[in-house]
mmCIF file of all heavy atoms in Angstrom:
data_model
loop_
_atom_site.group_PDB
_atom_site.id
_atom_site.type_symbol
_atom_site.label_atom_id
_atom_site.label_comp_id
_atom_site.label_asym_id
_atom_site.label_seq_id
_atom_site.Cartn_x
_atom_site.Cartn_y
_atom_site.Cartn_z
ATOM 1 N N GLU H 1 0.832 -1.207 0.000
ATOM 2 C CA GLU H 1 0.000 0.000 0.000
ATOM 3 C C GLU H 1 0.863 1.252 0.000
ATOM 4 O O GLU H 1 0.640 2.190 -0.775
ATOM 5 C CB GLU H 1 -0.919 -0.015 1.226
ATOM 6 C CG GLU H 1 -1.721 1.259 1.442
ATOM 7 C CD GLU H 1 -2.876 1.410 0.480
ATOM 8 O OE1 GLU H 1 -3.321 0.387 -0.067
ATOM 9 O OE2 GLU H 1 -3.327 2.558 0.275
ATOM 10 N N GLU H 2 1.876 1.277 0.852
ATOM 11 C CA GLU H 2 2.738 2.444 0.976
ATOM 12 C C GLU H 2 3.578 2.679 -0.274
ATOM 13 O O GLU H 2 3.937 3.824 -0.591
ATOM 14 C CB GLU H 2 3.663 2.290 2.189
ATOM 15 C CG GLU H 2 2.928 2.314 3.529
ATOM 16 C CD GLU H 2 3.855 2.006 4.697
ATOM 17 O OE1 GLU H 2 5.057 1.739 4.443
ATOM 18 O OE2 GLU H 2 3.388 2.029 5.849
ATOM 19 N N ASN H 3 3.897 1.619 -0.985
ATOM 20 C CA ASN H 3 4.790 1.736 -2.152
ATOM 21 C C ASN H 3 4.052 1.610 -3.479
ATOM 22 O O ASN H 3 4.686 1.438 -4.516
ATOM 23 C CB ASN H 3 5.880 0.658 -2.078
ATOM 24 C CG ASN H 3 6.902 0.922 -0.995
ATOM 25 O OD1 ASN H 3 7.898 1.615 -1.220
ATOM 26 N ND2 ASN H 3 6.667 0.380 0.192
ATOM 27 N N PHE H 4 2.733 1.720 -3.436
ATOM 28 C CA PHE H 4 1.939 1.537 -4.659
ATOM 29 C C PHE H 4 2.364 2.492 -5.772
ATOM 30 O O PHE H 4 2.606 2.085 -6.912
ATOM 31 C CB PHE H 4 0.448 1.715 -4.359
ATOM 32 C CG PHE H 4 -0.381 1.888 -5.582
ATOM 33 C CD1 PHE H 4 -0.559 0.842 -6.491
ATOM 34 C CD2 PHE H 4 -0.989 3.122 -5.882
ATOM 35 C CE1 PHE H 4 -1.322 1.011 -7.638
ATOM 36 C CE2 PHE H 4 -1.742 3.291 -7.027
ATOM 37 C CZ PHE H 4 -1.916 2.230 -7.908
ATOM 38 N N GLU H 5 2.454 3.779 -5.472
ATOM 39 C CA GLU H 5 2.792 4.754 -6.515
ATOM 40 C C GLU H 5 4.200 4.535 -7.052
ATOM 41 O O GLU H 5 4.453 4.699 -8.254
ATOM 42 C CB GLU H 5 2.631 6.176 -5.967
ATOM 43 C CG GLU H 5 1.187 6.562 -5.684
ATOM 44 C CD GLU H 5 1.047 8.019 -5.294
ATOM 45 O OE1 GLU H 5 2.064 8.749 -5.343
ATOM 46 O OE2 GLU H 5 -0.074 8.433 -4.946
ATOM 47 N N LYS H 6 5.110 4.161 -6.164
ATOM 48 C CA LYS H 6 6.486 3.895 -6.610
ATOM 49 C C LYS H 6 6.528 2.687 -7.544
ATOM 50 O O LYS H 6 7.232 2.692 -8.565
ATOM 51 C CB LYS H 6 7.385 3.668 -5.387
ATOM 52 C CG LYS H 6 8.860 3.542 -5.710
ATOM 53 C CD LYS H 6 9.686 3.278 -4.465
ATOM 54 C CE LYS H 6 9.656 4.475 -3.527
ATOM 55 N NZ LYS H 6 10.551 4.269 -2.349
ATOM 56 N N GLU H 7 5.775 1.629 -7.204
ATOM 57 C CA GLU H 7 5.741 0.448 -8.069
ATOM 58 C C GLU H 7 5.071 0.763 -9.406
ATOM 59 O O GLU H 7 5.500 0.256 -10.451
ATOM 60 C CB GLU H 7 5.010 -0.700 -7.365
ATOM 61 C CG GLU H 7 5.795 -1.303 -6.211
ATOM 62 C CD GLU H 7 5.169 -2.584 -5.692
ATOM 63 O OE1 GLU H 7 3.928 -2.709 -5.763
ATOM 64 O OE2 GLU H 7 5.909 -3.463 -5.220
ATOM 65 N N ALA H 8 4.030 1.580 -9.363
ATOM 66 C CA ALA H 8 3.357 1.967 -10.611
ATOM 67 C C ALA H 8 4.300 2.744 -11.516
ATOM 68 O O ALA H 8 4.300 2.573 -12.743
ATOM 69 C CB ALA H 8 2.122 2.790 -10.295
ATOM 70 N N GLU H 9 5.128 3.591 -10.907
ATOM 71 C CA GLU H 9 6.085 4.382 -11.684
ATOM 72 C C GLU H 9 7.181 3.503 -12.273
ATOM 73 O O GLU H 9 7.565 3.653 -13.430
ATOM 74 C CB GLU H 9 6.699 5.461 -10.793
ATOM 75 C CG GLU H 9 7.711 6.343 -11.506
ATOM 76 C CD GLU H 9 8.342 7.371 -10.585
ATOM 77 O OE1 GLU H 9 7.925 7.472 -9.407
ATOM 78 O OE2 GLU H 9 9.267 8.065 -11.030
ATOM 79 N N ARG H 10 7.673 2.564 -11.474
ATOM 80 C CA ARG H 10 8.769 1.701 -11.931
ATOM 81 C C ARG H 10 8.265 0.509 -12.753
ATOM 82 O O ARG H 10 9.051 -0.197 -13.380
ATOM 83 C CB ARG H 10 9.564 1.188 -10.739
ATOM 84 C CG ARG H 10 10.267 2.284 -9.955
ATOM 85 C CD ARG H 10 11.171 1.683 -8.899
ATOM 86 N NE ARG H 10 11.811 2.698 -8.083
ATOM 87 C CZ ARG H 10 12.671 2.440 -7.102
ATOM 88 N NH1 ARG H 10 13.001 1.181 -6.820
ATOM 89 N NH2 ARG H 10 13.197 3.416 -6.399
ATOM 90 N N GLU H 11 6.957 0.256 -12.676
ATOM 91 C CA GLU H 11 6.322 -0.830 -13.414
ATOM 92 C C GLU H 11 6.874 -2.199 -13.024
ATOM 93 O O GLU H 11 7.040 -3.096 -13.863
ATOM 94 C CB GLU H 11 6.446 -0.615 -14.924
ATOM 95 C CG GLU H 11 5.781 0.663 -15.414
ATOM 96 C CD GLU H 11 5.850 0.820 -16.915
ATOM 97 O OE1 GLU H 11 6.689 0.139 -17.560
ATOM 98 O OE2 GLU H 11 5.075 1.629 -17.467
ATOM 99 N N GLN H 12 7.135 -2.385 -11.749
ATOM 100 C CA GLN H 12 7.599 -3.679 -11.259
ATOM 101 C C GLN H 12 7.359 -3.802 -9.764
ATOM 102 O O GLN H 12 7.219 -2.792 -9.065
ATOM 103 C CB GLN H 12 9.079 -3.893 -11.559
ATOM 104 C CG GLN H 12 10.006 -2.885 -10.897
ATOM 105 C CD GLN H 12 11.461 -3.209 -11.169
ATOM 106 O OE1 GLN H 12 11.881 -4.363 -11.079
ATOM 107 N NE2 GLN H 12 12.231 -2.189 -11.515
ATOM 108 N N THR H 13 7.298 -5.037 -9.288
ATOM 109 C CA THR H 13 7.111 -5.318 -7.869
ATOM 110 C C THR H 13 8.445 -5.135 -7.147
ATOM 111 O O THR H 13 9.411 -5.849 -7.439
ATOM 112 C CB THR H 13 6.595 -6.750 -7.671
ATOM 113 O OG1 THR H 13 5.392 -6.934 -8.425
ATOM 114 C CG2 THR H 13 6.328 -7.041 -6.210
ATOM 115 N N ILE H 14 8.490 -4.194 -6.217
ATOM 116 C CA ILE H 14 9.747 -3.903 -5.528
ATOM 117 C C ILE H 14 9.714 -4.332 -4.066
ATOM 118 O O ILE H 14 10.718 -4.188 -3.362
ATOM 119 C CB ILE H 14 10.090 -2.397 -5.615
ATOM 120 C CG1 ILE H 14 9.017 -1.554 -4.924
ATOM 121 C CG2 ILE H 14 10.281 -1.981 -7.066
ATOM 122 C CD1 ILE H 14 9.374 -0.076 -4.849
ATOM 123 N N ILE H 15 8.595 -4.872 -3.608
ATOM 124 C CA ILE H 15 8.466 -5.333 -2.236
ATOM 125 C C ILE H 15 8.216 -6.835 -2.237
ATOM 126 O O ILE H 15 7.334 -7.315 -2.964
ATOM 127 C CB ILE H 15 7.292 -4.627 -1.506
ATOM 128 C CG1 ILE H 15 7.453 -3.109 -1.551
ATOM 129 C CG2 ILE H 15 7.181 -5.119 -0.066
ATOM 130 C CD1 ILE H 15 8.676 -2.602 -0.819
ATOM 131 N N GLY H 16 8.973 -7.591 -1.437
ATOM 132 C CA GLY H 16 8.724 -9.018 -1.338
ATOM 133 C C GLY H 16 9.988 -9.820 -1.098
ATOM 134 O O GLY H 16 11.103 -9.282 -1.137
ATOM 135 N N PRO H 17 9.852 -11.112 -0.859
ATOM 136 C CA PRO H 17 11.003 -11.968 -0.555
ATOM 137 C C PRO H 17 11.967 -12.144 -1.713
ATOM 138 O O PRO H 17 13.089 -12.634 -1.504
ATOM 139 C CB PRO H 17 10.351 -13.304 -0.169
ATOM 140 C CG PRO H 17 9.001 -13.277 -0.801
ATOM 141 C CD PRO H 17 8.573 -11.841 -0.770
ATOM 142 N N HIS H 18 11.571 -11.743 -2.925
ATOM 143 C CA HIS H 18 12.497 -11.814 -4.063
ATOM 144 C C HIS H 18 13.623 -10.791 -3.939
ATOM 145 O O HIS H 18 14.567 -10.805 -4.742
ATOM 146 C CB HIS H 18 11.751 -11.600 -5.381
ATOM 147 C CG HIS H 18 11.051 -10.286 -5.486
ATOM 148 N ND1 HIS H 18 9.886 -10.016 -4.810
ATOM 149 C CD2 HIS H 18 11.356 -9.151 -6.189
ATOM 150 C CE1 HIS H 18 9.497 -8.783 -5.086
ATOM 151 N NE2 HIS H 18 10.370 -8.237 -5.924
ATOM 152 N N ARG H 19 13.544 -9.933 -2.915
ATOM 153 C CA ARG H 19 14.605 -8.948 -2.682
ATOM 154 C C ARG H 19 15.276 -9.153 -1.324
ATOM 155 O O ARG H 19 15.992 -8.284 -0.835
ATOM 156 C CB ARG H 19 14.025 -7.544 -2.789
ATOM 157 C CG ARG H 19 13.374 -7.275 -4.136
ATOM 158 C CD ARG H 19 13.032 -5.830 -4.334
ATOM 159 N NE ARG H 19 14.225 -4.994 -4.398
ATOM 160 C CZ ARG H 19 14.255 -3.765 -4.910
ATOM 161 N NH1 ARG H 19 13.155 -3.247 -5.417
ATOM 162 N NH2 ARG H 19 15.349 -3.062 -4.913
ATOM 163 N N ASP H 20 15.039 -10.289 -0.712
ATOM 164 C CA ASP H 20 15.657 -10.582 0.581
ATOM 165 C C ASP H 20 17.177 -10.644 0.468
ATOM 166 O O ASP H 20 17.736 -10.897 -0.597
ATOM 167 C CB ASP H 20 15.147 -11.918 1.120
ATOM 168 C CG ASP H 20 13.744 -11.827 1.692
ATOM 169 O OD1 ASP H 20 13.206 -10.709 1.746
ATOM 170 O OD2 ASP H 20 13.185 -12.877 2.073
ATOM 171 N N GLU H 21 17.824 -10.461 1.606
ATOM 172 C CA GLU H 21 19.283 -10.545 1.690
ATOM 173 C C GLU H 21 19.659 -11.358 2.929
ATOM 174 O O GLU H 21 18.962 -11.319 3.950
ATOM 175 C CB GLU H 21 19.894 -9.136 1.770
ATOM 176 C CG GLU H 21 21.368 -9.053 2.143
ATOM 177 C CD GLU H 21 22.312 -9.631 1.095
ATOM 178 O OE1 GLU H 21 22.244 -10.848 0.882
ATOM 179 O OE2 GLU H 21 23.137 -8.856 0.548
ATOM 180 N N ILE H 22 20.747 -12.121 2.814
ATOM 181 C CA ILE H 22 21.328 -12.824 3.956
ATOM 182 C C ILE H 22 22.750 -12.316 4.113
ATOM 183 O O ILE H 22 23.571 -12.463 3.188
ATOM 184 C CB ILE H 22 21.336 -14.350 3.761
ATOM 185 C CG1 ILE H 22 19.914 -14.877 3.533
ATOM 186 C CG2 ILE H 22 21.936 -15.037 4.986
ATOM 187 C CD1 ILE H 22 19.579 -15.124 2.104
ATOM 188 N N LEU H 23 23.031 -11.677 5.230
ATOM 189 C CA LEU H 23 24.356 -11.135 5.494
ATOM 190 C C LEU H 23 25.164 -12.123 6.335
ATOM 191 O O LEU H 23 24.641 -12.736 7.266
ATOM 192 C CB LEU H 23 24.252 -9.799 6.239
ATOM 193 C CG LEU H 23 23.472 -8.679 5.537
ATOM 194 C CD1 LEU H 23 23.433 -7.437 6.415
ATOM 195 C CD2 LEU H 23 24.084 -8.351 4.191
ATOM 196 N N PHE H 24 26.442 -12.256 6.018
ATOM 197 C CA PHE H 24 27.340 -13.150 6.737
ATOM 198 C C PHE H 24 28.306 -12.324 7.587
ATOM 199 O O PHE H 24 28.868 -11.320 7.101
ATOM 200 C CB PHE H 24 28.154 -14.007 5.766
ATOM 201 C CG PHE H 24 27.309 -14.921 4.912
ATOM 202 C CD1 PHE H 24 27.707 -15.232 3.617
ATOM 203 C CD2 PHE H 24 26.146 -15.488 5.400
ATOM 204 C CE1 PHE H 24 26.942 -16.080 2.828
ATOM 205 C CE2 PHE H 24 25.378 -16.328 4.622
ATOM 206 C CZ PHE H 24 25.776 -16.626 3.325
ATOM 207 N N PHE H 25 28.526 -12.773 8.813
ATOM 208 C CA PHE H 25 29.411 -12.062 9.729
ATOM 209 C C PHE H 25 30.411 -13.019 10.381
ATOM 210 O O PHE H 25 30.101 -14.192 10.600
ATOM 211 C CB PHE H 25 28.602 -11.382 10.850
ATOM 212 C CG PHE H 25 27.754 -10.236 10.402
ATOM 213 C CD1 PHE H 25 26.456 -10.449 9.945
ATOM 214 C CD2 PHE H 25 28.241 -8.922 10.433
ATOM 215 C CE1 PHE H 25 25.662 -9.404 9.534
ATOM 216 C CE2 PHE H 25 27.443 -7.870 10.019
ATOM 217 C CZ PHE H 25 26.154 -8.104 9.571
ATOM 218 N N LEU H 26 31.594 -12.491 10.658
ATOM 219 C CA LEU H 26 32.552 -13.115 11.572
ATOM 220 C C LEU H 26 32.709 -12.164 12.747
ATOM 221 O O LEU H 26 33.211 -11.048 12.580
ATOM 222 C CB LEU H 26 33.896 -13.351 10.885
ATOM 223 C CG LEU H 26 33.963 -14.532 9.911
ATOM 224 C CD1 LEU H 26 35.309 -14.563 9.199
ATOM 225 C CD2 LEU H 26 33.711 -15.849 10.634
ATOM 226 N N ASP H 27 32.255 -12.601 13.917
ATOM 227 C CA ASP H 27 32.097 -11.683 15.047
ATOM 228 C C ASP H 27 31.243 -10.496 14.578
ATOM 229 O O ASP H 27 30.142 -10.692 14.122
ATOM 230 C CB ASP H 27 33.451 -11.265 15.610
ATOM 231 C CG ASP H 27 34.111 -12.408 16.386
ATOM 232 O OD1 ASP H 27 33.408 -13.371 16.755
ATOM 233 O OD2 ASP H 27 35.330 -12.347 16.626
ATOM 234 N N ASP H 28 31.776 -9.275 14.642
ATOM 235 C CA ASP H 28 31.005 -8.111 14.214
ATOM 236 C C ASP H 28 31.394 -7.623 12.816
ATOM 237 O O ASP H 28 30.935 -6.580 12.369
ATOM 238 C CB ASP H 28 31.209 -6.961 15.216
ATOM 239 C CG ASP H 28 30.657 -7.294 16.589
ATOM 240 O OD1 ASP H 28 29.638 -8.021 16.648
ATOM 241 O OD2 ASP H 28 31.244 -6.860 17.592
ATOM 242 N N MET H 29 32.232 -8.383 12.123
ATOM 243 C CA MET H 29 32.717 -7.978 10.801
ATOM 244 C C MET H 29 31.839 -8.575 9.710
ATOM 245 O O MET H 29 31.659 -9.798 9.643
ATOM 246 C CB MET H 29 34.156 -8.448 10.607
ATOM 247 C CG MET H 29 34.739 -8.112 9.242
ATOM 248 S SD MET H 29 36.341 -8.915 8.950
ATOM 249 C CE MET H 29 35.860 -10.633 8.761
ATOM 250 N N GLU H 30 31.274 -7.720 8.838
ATOM 251 C CA GLU H 30 30.514 -8.234 7.714
ATOM 252 C C GLU H 30 31.477 -8.792 6.671
ATOM 253 O O GLU H 30 32.342 -8.082 6.151
ATOM 254 C CB GLU H 30 29.643 -7.153 7.077
ATOM 255 C CG GLU H 30 28.736 -7.704 5.984
ATOM 256 C CD GLU H 30 27.867 -6.648 5.316
ATOM 257 O OE1 GLU H 30 27.735 -5.536 5.870
ATOM 258 O OE2 GLU H 30 27.333 -6.947 4.231
ATOM 259 N N LEU H 31 31.337 -10.056 6.388
ATOM 260 C CA LEU H 31 32.316 -10.774 5.582
ATOM 261 C C LEU H 31 32.453 -10.202 4.181
ATOM 262 O O LEU H 31 33.566 -10.054 3.666
ATOM 263 C CB LEU H 31 31.915 -12.253 5.505
ATOM 264 C CG LEU H 31 32.919 -13.187 4.849
ATOM 265 C CD1 LEU H 31 34.182 -13.302 5.692
ATOM 266 C CD2 LEU H 31 32.302 -14.572 4.657
ATOM 267 N N ARG H 32 31.340 -9.866 3.532
ATOM 268 C CA ARG H 32 31.396 -9.421 2.144
ATOM 269 C C ARG H 32 32.238 -8.166 1.981
ATOM 270 O O ARG H 32 32.952 -8.011 0.984
ATOM 271 C CB ARG H 32 29.977 -9.171 1.622
ATOM 272 C CG ARG H 32 29.944 -8.802 0.143
ATOM 273 C CD ARG H 32 28.537 -8.457 -0.296
ATOM 274 N NE ARG H 32 28.524 -8.037 -1.689
ATOM 275 C CZ ARG H 32 27.517 -7.428 -2.274
ATOM 276 N NH1 ARG H 32 26.410 -7.174 -1.586
ATOM 277 N NH2 ARG H 32 27.568 -7.065 -3.533
ATOM 278 N N ASN H 33 32.172 -7.269 2.943
ATOM 279 C CA ASN H 33 32.869 -5.988 2.817
ATOM 280 C C ASN H 33 34.279 -5.995 3.390
ATOM 281 O O ASN H 33 35.131 -5.231 2.933
ATOM 282 C CB ASN H 33 32.054 -4.888 3.508
ATOM 283 C CG ASN H 33 30.734 -4.630 2.811
ATOM 284 O OD1 ASN H 33 30.631 -4.769 1.600
ATOM 285 N ND2 ASN H 33 29.714 -4.267 3.573
ATOM 286 N N PHE H 34 34.527 -6.854 4.379
ATOM 287 C CA PHE H 34 35.802 -6.746 5.099
ATOM 288 C C PHE H 34 36.593 -8.045 5.181
ATOM 289 O O PHE H 34 37.716 -8.044 5.667
ATOM 290 C CB PHE H 34 35.547 -6.227 6.527
ATOM 291 C CG PHE H 34 34.848 -4.906 6.576
ATOM 292 C CD1 PHE H 34 33.513 -4.821 6.913
ATOM 293 C CD2 PHE H 34 35.528 -3.726 6.266
ATOM 294 C CE1 PHE H 34 32.856 -3.604 6.956
ATOM 295 C CE2 PHE H 34 34.879 -2.503 6.307
ATOM 296 C CZ PHE H 34 33.542 -2.439 6.652
ATOM 297 N N GLY H 35 36.022 -9.153 4.705
ATOM 298 C CA GLY H 35 36.714 -10.429 4.838
ATOM 299 C C GLY H 35 37.856 -10.601 3.853
ATOM 300 O O GLY H 35 37.804 -10.116 2.722
ATOM 301 N N SER H 36 38.895 -11.317 4.285
ATOM 302 C CA SER H 36 40.002 -11.653 3.396
ATOM 303 C C SER H 36 39.596 -12.805 2.488
ATOM 304 O O SER H 36 38.565 -13.466 2.710
ATOM 305 C CB SER H 36 41.225 -12.064 4.218
ATOM 306 O OG SER H 36 40.977 -13.285 4.904
ATOM 307 N N GLN H 37 40.388 -13.075 1.465
ATOM 308 C CA GLN H 37 40.075 -14.167 0.554
ATOM 309 C C GLN H 37 40.038 -15.498 1.299
ATOM 310 O O GLN H 37 39.169 -16.339 1.044
ATOM 311 C CB GLN H 37 41.101 -14.227 -0.579
ATOM 312 C CG GLN H 37 40.753 -15.259 -1.650
ATOM 313 C CD GLN H 37 41.695 -15.218 -2.845
ATOM 314 O OE1 GLN H 37 42.634 -14.437 -2.878
ATOM 315 N NE2 GLN H 37 41.452 -16.051 -3.826
ATOM 316 N N GLY H 38 40.971 -15.685 2.238
ATOM 317 C CA GLY H 38 40.986 -16.913 3.024
ATOM 318 C C GLY H 38 39.755 -17.056 3.893
ATOM 319 O O GLY H 38 39.203 -18.151 4.030
ATOM 320 N N GLN H 39 39.292 -15.949 4.475
ATOM 321 C CA GLN H 39 38.090 -15.993 5.304
ATOM 322 C C GLN H 39 36.851 -16.293 4.467
ATOM 323 O O GLN H 39 35.962 -17.032 4.900
ATOM 324 C CB GLN H 39 37.925 -14.670 6.049
ATOM 325 C CG GLN H 39 38.924 -14.493 7.183
ATOM 326 C CD GLN H 39 38.876 -13.102 7.799
ATOM 327 O OE1 GLN H 39 38.635 -12.106 7.108
ATOM 328 N NE2 GLN H 39 39.115 -13.030 9.103
ATOM 329 N N HIS H 40 36.797 -15.741 3.261
ATOM 330 C CA HIS H 40 35.685 -16.060 2.359
ATOM 331 C C HIS H 40 35.667 -17.550 2.037
ATOM 332 O O HIS H 40 34.603 -18.194 2.055
ATOM 333 C CB HIS H 40 35.806 -15.260 1.057
ATOM 334 C CG HIS H 40 35.284 -13.864 1.149
ATOM 335 N ND1 HIS H 40 33.960 -13.561 0.970
ATOM 336 C CD2 HIS H 40 35.911 -12.681 1.404
ATOM 337 C CE1 HIS H 40 33.786 -12.257 1.105
ATOM 338 N NE2 HIS H 40 34.957 -11.699 1.371
ATOM 339 N N ARG H 41 36.830 -18.101 1.739
ATOM 340 C CA ARG H 41 36.914 -19.514 1.364
ATOM 341 C C ARG H 41 36.470 -20.407 2.524
ATOM 342 O O ARG H 41 35.671 -21.336 2.342
ATOM 343 C CB ARG H 41 38.342 -19.862 0.944
ATOM 344 C CG ARG H 41 38.495 -21.309 0.457
ATOM 345 C CD ARG H 41 39.919 -21.649 0.098
ATOM 346 N NE ARG H 41 40.438 -20.772 -0.936
ATOM 347 C CZ ARG H 41 41.422 -19.887 -0.753
ATOM 348 N NH1 ARG H 41 41.990 -19.760 0.443
ATOM 349 N NH2 ARG H 41 41.837 -19.142 -1.741
ATOM 350 N N LEU H 42 36.972 -20.136 3.720
ATOM 351 C CA LEU H 42 36.640 -20.973 4.868
ATOM 352 C C LEU H 42 35.168 -20.837 5.265
ATOM 353 O O LEU H 42 34.538 -21.801 5.691
ATOM 354 C CB LEU H 42 37.545 -20.622 6.054
ATOM 355 C CG LEU H 42 39.016 -20.999 5.885
ATOM 356 C CD1 LEU H 42 39.852 -20.430 7.030
ATOM 357 C CD2 LEU H 42 39.177 -22.514 5.812
ATOM 358 N N PHE H 43 34.610 -19.638 5.107
ATOM 359 C CA PHE H 43 33.204 -19.430 5.444
ATOM 360 C C PHE H 43 32.305 -20.198 4.471
ATOM 361 O O PHE H 43 31.342 -20.852 4.886
ATOM 362 C CB PHE H 43 32.862 -17.939 5.410
ATOM 363 C CG PHE H 43 31.617 -17.578 6.167
ATOM 364 C CD1 PHE H 43 31.699 -16.999 7.424
ATOM 365 C CD2 PHE H 43 30.363 -17.809 5.625
ATOM 366 C CE1 PHE H 43 30.553 -16.658 8.130
ATOM 367 C CE2 PHE H 43 29.207 -17.472 6.322
ATOM 368 C CZ PHE H 43 29.305 -16.900 7.579
ATOM 369 N N SER H 44 32.624 -20.124 3.165
ATOM 370 C CA SER H 44 31.804 -20.831 2.174
ATOM 371 C C SER H 44 31.898 -22.342 2.373
ATOM 372 O O SER H 44 30.894 -23.066 2.225
ATOM 373 C CB SER H 44 32.213 -20.440 0.749
ATOM 374 O OG SER H 44 33.548 -20.807 0.473
ATOM 375 N N MET H 45 33.089 -22.836 2.717
ATOM 376 C CA MET H 45 33.237 -24.259 3.018
ATOM 377 C C MET H 45 32.393 -24.644 4.222
ATOM 378 O O MET H 45 31.717 -25.689 4.222
ATOM 379 C CB MET H 45 34.708 -24.584 3.295
ATOM 380 C CG MET H 45 35.600 -24.571 2.081
ATOM 381 S SD MET H 45 37.353 -24.649 2.524
ATOM 382 C CE MET H 45 37.355 -26.040 3.639
ATOM 383 N N SER H 46 32.401 -23.802 5.230
ATOM 384 C CA SER H 46 31.629 -24.081 6.449
ATOM 385 C C SER H 46 30.135 -24.089 6.162
ATOM 386 O O SER H 46 29.387 -24.889 6.743
ATOM 387 C CB SER H 46 31.961 -23.037 7.522
ATOM 388 O OG SER H 46 33.340 -23.036 7.820
ATOM 389 N N LEU H 47 29.682 -23.198 5.275
ATOM 390 C CA LEU H 47 28.272 -23.182 4.889
ATOM 391 C C LEU H 47 27.849 -24.524 4.304
ATOM 392 O O LEU H 47 26.788 -25.074 4.661
ATOM 393 C CB LEU H 47 28.015 -22.081 3.862
ATOM 394 C CG LEU H 47 27.879 -20.647 4.363
ATOM 395 C CD1 LEU H 47 27.888 -19.685 3.176
ATOM 396 C CD2 LEU H 47 26.596 -20.458 5.170
#
């Protein structure tokens, strides 16, 4: 309801689970922005 006019202008659905995000952290560090290559590798293996 709140985004009706915005969706009408953009001509697409902009609200919903198709835009969800899952953020990965090591302690308080967001992995995508601050992780080293080794940390990325070990995290993906752990997943």
Side-chain angles (χ1 to χ4, degrees):
E1 173 75 22
E2 293 174 358
N3 288 272
F4 165 68
E5 292 186 5
K6 187 182 294 184
E7 289 190 329
E9 180 182 355
R10 296 187 183 181
E11 299 183 342
Q12 62 177 316
T13 304
I14 62 174
I15 304 296
H18 60 285
R19 302 191 66 161
D20 284 355
E21 168 67 295
I22 302 99
L23 301 179
F24 298 147
F25 291 88
L26 284 174
D27 287 343
D28 295 327
M29 178 189 71
E30 186 181 345
L31 187 67
R32 184 185 177 194
N33 294 328
F34 302 105
S36 67
Q37 186 174 1
Q39 287 172 325
H40 278 275
R41 183 182 302 113
L42 291 172
F43 199 102
S44 62
M45 288 169 50
S46 302
L47 281 170

